[in-house]
Amino acid sequence: MSIDTEIDTAARAFNEAATALADAMLAKLQTTDPELTAKVAHVLERGERMVLALEINPEAPAIWWATINDYQQLRRIMTIPGTGGAQQH
């Protein structure tokens, strides 16, 4: 398998898993903090985008979810440490 094929296959799998994870994080947020869920919906309606990031850090790997505006300002909503368990911001 060529490196391009490996990248394509891994990227497709990552996108599928990231979509499932984002859906689950949103469901958790709706359950634990409906007010924050409404704020997230409001900023998305204003045109901000969602970012789901894999933070590669040997000391503290994590996946985090944030909104980003046109000025490239991020606001973290939730972080899942590499050890598990979501933390809301």
Side-chain angles (χ1 to χ4, degrees), residues 9 27 53 79:
T9 301
T79 299

Side-chain angles (χ1 to χ4, degrees), residues 60-74:
I63 296 171
W64 49 268
W65 178 35
T67 59
I68 184 170
N69 63 21
D70 290 336
Y71 302 104
Q72 304 302 312
Q73 296 168 318
L74 289 171

Side-chain angles (χ1 to χ4, degrees), residues 15-74:
N15 285 332
E16 186 176 326
T19 298
L21 180 58
D23 289 344
M25 291 170 86
L26 181 58
K28 179 178 177 72
L29 189 62
Q30 287 172 333
T31 302
T32 60
D33 196 337
E35 187 176 316
L36 182 56
T37 303
K39 288 179 183 177
V40 169
H42 180 70
V43 297
L44 292 176
E45 288 168 2
R46 286 194 335 236
E48 290 192 26
R49 298 163 316 276
M50 298 301 299
V51 175
L52 186 63
L54 173 62
E55 187 171 328
I56 301 171
N57 176 345
E59 300 295 318
I63 296 171
W64 49 268
W65 178 35
T67 59
I68 184 170
N69 63 21
D70 290 336
Y71 302 104
Q72 304 302 312
Q73 296 168 318
L74 289 171

